[in-house]
Amino acid sequence: MLHRIEASHFQPLVGTTCTLALPDGRALAVRVEQVDLKPLSQMPGSRMPFAVALTAPDGTDFVHGPCALDLPALGRLEGMFVSRVPALGRDERAAYFQVVFN
């Protein structure tokens, strides 16, 4: 299913809070901050690559791994690899993540 995911599946979620299912079974509330298209990375005949920025306002010890998320248009998206990114001047109490779809 991951190969069918498009930026348009995430764009309606920008600004909303979703629940990310972590690999260890815990649930993490995250806010979808933005969806960035990556046109310079697109290969001919392939989908438009994009990245989704997520924020866990309450922080977490989770760093990275395959997670699941319910998408309104498609249902449960399993195996989505979520990576933590540095705060870089943002609120140090929150945790910041990125999901890249190539």
Side-chain angles (χ1 to χ4, degrees):
M1 179 194 260
L2 290 173
H3 66 281
R4 294 185 1 212
I5 303 302
E6 302 284 340
S8 61
H9 293 115
F10 282 93
Q11 287 164 332
L13 299 176
V14 172
T16 66
T17 299
C18 303
T19 301
L20 197 61
L22 303 181
D24 64 4
R26 291 181 294 163
L28 178 64
V30 294
R31 186 174 51 247
V32 180
E33 299 292 348
Q34 65 187 59
V35 178
D36 292 320
L37 300 178
K38 306 292 184 183
L40 296 177
S41 299
Q42 187 174 17
M43 298 295 291
S46 67
R47 73 170 168 207
M48 173 68 69
F50 66 97
V52 179
L54 306 169
T55 301
D58 298 327
T60 181
D61 61 349
F62 174 68
V63 178
H64 65 266
C67 296
L69 179 70
D70 291 317
L71 292 176
L74 293 176
R76 192 160 184 88
L77 177 61
E78 300 273 355
M80 177 179 75
F81 196 86
V82 177
S83 299
R84 194 159 187 161
V85 296
L88 298 176
R90 297 176 282 187
D91 184 353
E92 293 287 332
R93 294 169 296 193
Y96 303 93
F97 300 95
Q98 179 176 333
V99 184
V100 177
F101 293 88
N102 290 320

